[in-house]
Amino acid sequence: MRHRIAVVGGGPGGLTFARVLHRHGYPVAVLERDPAADARPPGGTLDLHEGLGQLALDKAGLLAEYQALSRPEGQAMRILDTEGTVLRDWRPRPDDRANPEIDRGQLRDLLLGPLDVQWGRGVTQVVPGTRDGVLVHFADGRQEAFDLVVGADGAWSRIRPAVSSVTPHYTGVTSVETSLDDVDTRHPDLARLIGDGSVAVYGVHRSLVAQRNSGGHVKVYARFRAPLDWHTNPDRHMSLSRGAGLDAGLDPADVEAMRSSLLALFDGWAAPVLDLLRHGTAFVHRPLYVLPVSHTWAHVPGVTLLGDAAHLMPPLGAGANLAMLEGAELAESIAAAPGPGDLDEAVRAFEEQMWARASRWAKITTAGLERLVSPDPTEAIALWDQVQPS
Ligand SMILES: Cc1cc2nc3c(=O)[nH]c(=O)nc-3n(C[C@H](O)[C@H](O)[C@H](O)COP(=O)(O)OP(=O)(O)OC[C@H]3O[C@@H](n4cnc5c(N)ncnc54)[C@H](O)[C@@H]3O)c2cc1C
């Protein structure tokens, strides 16, 4: 008899899990809150690492398709100082396949393939250990029972409380994202500045990074140390900007107010760098939250977590990679379990493996964030020199 398996969340982790199970002939219910695949903008480009995200795609039988879609040239990185002087200008070799970039939307569509996702099925909670199995409660009031529920529902997971009382905490670093469209035609100077990949500028306690996506779309990330309420509390504003023009009660949805606040915050930086903010179309405020570095839990039969739901960490290029590999590994363990009684053992073994690897990456990315948004901008360059093979 086949197990009744559900994965909550159709992000990179949940879809990889479902796709690998599907490849092994196992049915799985993919329960996704969004009403449709394209219900919201998919977010910025992702670099998938050879031993992580790419390995997961290989397990899903999708590596060749990824390679055809991905942008190896997108690995290029240019680092400037705040006056606009180029400090590093690294370009990958044409055959470099270590971390090619792919748009999130393209990756999602690649993973979706034949999967029959149940869109618009927001989960509110799961209750393990009932007579019918694990009971999933939906936002529309319905309920459904499964033998295994995998929480791949991201940072604010509704599945996590079934195994752990831990919740994410604020890192002290916040992020405001904006984007530029059709950059090669509309902003050719910025297109040259950004090049094929990314441009990054590091200052004291703040950074600006612009990343090229496909189709001339660019995502810009302004990151800075600030209290969580920096945009609503006037006193906090003053300490952050040293009085340099941030308005009290700033509404992140007010594009012009956000733009002028950010321009004040990055005042004095080179004009071409500030143009990244001047031409940004909309601004999204995204404070960076994390789970504790070594988040584990006492195993609960019938429920597990993967990806950000299990180990939310600073966004330094690992989260989607880990979520995907975990999805693939859990699916393979389930498919390899010899009998119905072995499902729980397969999940336990998966959890041990996930915790050990995620803890290593959480340490790396936590230390990395400290150095990238630090009082000493040379720390960011030193970090780049450490991780980048010359
Ligand atoms: C700016 C930025 C840049 C990043 N760059 C990279 C990078 O280059 N490389 C990298 O590896 N990682 C990167 N990351 C991290 C990466 O985005 C995440 O780690 C990754 O998306 C986690 O995948 P996931 O599947 O665990 O969760 P998510 O991607 O968060 O997906 C969760 C899914 O669950 C759904 N969901 C949520 N709640 C419910 C519910 N109650 N019921 C049903 N469905 C629900 C959501 O709609 C969503 O589809 C970046 C992150 C940020 C913020």
Side-chain angles (χ1 to χ4, degrees):
M1 199 185 87
R2 284 286 159 90
H3 299 293
R4 299 166 300 167
I5 300 174
V7 59
V8 181
L15 290 182
T16 308
F17 171 71
R19 192 65 199 265
V20 175
L21 266 189
H22 182 273
R23 192 180 190 203
H24 287 274
Y26 281 73
V28 52
V30 185
L31 310 171
E32 167 57 50
R33 182 181 55 190
D34 284 348
D38 57 358
R40 60 190 162 93
T45 178
L46 290 171
D47 61 319
L48 297 187
H49 308 191
E50 250 168 351
L52 296 171
Q54 292 186 48
L55 179 57
L57 287 174
D58 196 21
K59 290 174 184 293
L62 296 171
L63 190 57
E65 285 173 70
Y66 158 77
Q67 282 167 346
L69 285 169
S70 67
R71 290 172 280 110
E73 71 281 6
Q75 299 168 93
M77 173 61 112
R78 185 171 287 151
I79 302 181
L80 313 180
D81 66 15
T82 58
E83 287 164 10
T85 308
V86 177
L87 302 176
R88 299 287 183 278
D89 195 1
W90 182 84
R91 283 163 223 213
R93 292 185 319 273
D95 61 343
D96 188 334
R97 294 287 180 276
N99 309 294
E101 298 277 342
I102 184 166
D103 286 10
R104 275 180 203 252
Q106 290 176 324
L107 178 65
R108 179 200 59 212
D109 293 346
L110 179 63
L111 289 167
L112 276 175
L115 296 177
D116 189 14
V117 173
Q118 300 181 31
W119 301 104
R121 297 216 77 192
V123 171
T124 54
Q125 65 164 327
V126 294
V127 181
T130 77
R131 202 161 42 97
D132 290 335
V134 184
L135 209 53
V136 173
H137 293 250
F138 292 94
D140 62 8
R142 283 188 281 175
Q143 299 176 3
E144 208 172 324
F146 295 91
D147 299 310
L148 174 66
V149 175
V150 178
D153 52 340
W156 303 102
S157 172
R158 295 298 192 107
I159 313 307
R160 193 190 302 123
V163 298
S164 164
S165 58
V166 171
T167 53
H169 61 268
Y170 179 50
T171 54
V173 176
T174 198
S175 171
V176 180
E177 294 175 18
T178 189
S179 51
L180 309 167
D181 283 315
D182 207 5
V183 70
D184 298 292
T185 314
R186 289 198 211 167
H187 310 290
D189 290 346
L190 286 181
R192 274 190 292 278
L193 182 78
I194 297 160
D196 288 335
S198 301
V199 63
V201 191
Y202 299 100
V204 175
H205 287 314
R206 62 205 66 186
S207 69
L208 265 182
V209 177
Q211 274 191 312
R212 185 184 278 270
N213 293 235
S214 62
H217 184 75
V218 168
K219 283 256 183 292
V220 180
Y221 304 96
R223 287 191 182 147
F224 45 97
R225 288 195 182 273
L228 198 47
D229 61 353
W230 68 275
H231 56 98
T232 52
N233 184 332
D235 298 336
R236 304 290 207 167
H237 272 154
M238 296 303 279
S239 61
L240 179 67
S241 66
R242 294 193 208 87
L246 289 181
D247 299 326
L250 177 63
D251 174 6
D254 182 338
V255 175
E256 290 317 317
M258 187 56 105
R259 190 193 317 282
S260 57
S261 288
L262 288 176
L263 287 170
L265 187 59
F266 288 86
D267 187 34
W269 287 32
V273 172
L274 293 185
D275 279 348
L276 294 167
L277 299 173
R278 282 199 189 96
H279 297 299
T281 46
F283 294 88
V284 181
H285 182 217
R286 223 188 278 283
L288 303 185
Y289 282 85
V290 291
L291 285 166
V293 160
S294 296
H295 177 226
T296 62
W297 54 89
H299 175 74
V300 174
V303 184
T304 194
L305 306 174
L306 59 78
D308 280 4
H311 49 64
L312 180 65
M313 58 185 77
L316 266 64
N321 279 276
L322 292 171
M324 291 172 67
L325 185 55
E326 289 155 11
E329 286 176 347
L330 178 58
E332 284 190 339
S333 310
I334 291 171
D342 300 310
L343 178 67
D344 198 48
E345 218 25 69
V347 175
R348 269 180 200 273
F350 157 77
E351 286 172 343
E352 295 289 340
Q353 189 179 4
M354 169 176 66
W355 291 333
R357 183 173 48 219
S359 162
R360 284 199 302 277
W361 278 99
K363 283 179 195 147
I364 292 169
T365 54
T366 301
L369 184 66
E370 286 303 305
R371 297 179 74 184
L372 290 182
V373 189
S374 93
D376 176 5
T378 63
E379 276 296 314
I381 318 288
L383 177 62
W384 166 256
D385 289 342
Q386 258 173 14
V387 298
Q388 186 51 58
S390 48

